[in-house]
Amino acid sequence: MGMKDKFDDMKDKAKDMLGDHKDQAEQGMDKGRDMASEKTGGKYDDKLDSAADKGKDYLGNMGDDH
């Protein structure tokens, strides 16, 4: 099994585990973003918001083959 096969297997397992819990995962991203913002005094809010949005977009597209 090559690296790509291992990565695809991990990605499939993540999709299976996530299942119907995308909302909870998004809430976790929001909490992580908020915690990081608090720890950095809001200095990197634009970057944290962008990262959280990209993560949520990825979750929304997990059923697509990219």
Side-chain angles (χ1 to χ4, degrees):
M1 182 180 276
M3 287 297 283
K4 182 176 179 343
D5 294 330
K6 288 180 182 179
F7 178 75
D8 287 341
D9 186 46
M10 288 182 355
K11 187 172 84 172
D12 290 340
K13 285 181 183 179
K15 284 182 189 180
D16 291 342
M17 288 188 330
L18 189 58
D20 295 328
H21 303 286
K22 287 183 182 181
D23 290 340
Q24 290 176 337
E26 288 181 2
Q27 289 174 356
M29 284 184 214
D30 287 338
K31 287 181 182 180
R33 180 196 63 215
D34 293 344
M35 186 178 71
S37 176
E38 183 179 320
K39 295 289 184 183
T40 61
K43 184 176 180 180
Y44 301 104
D45 280 354
D46 57 333
K47 293 178 182 3
L48 294 169
D49 289 341
S50 176
D53 289 342
K54 287 179 183 178
K56 289 177 187 180
D57 287 344
Y58 182 77
L59 286 177
N61 294 325
M62 281 193 79
D64 300 343
D65 287 333
H66 293 278

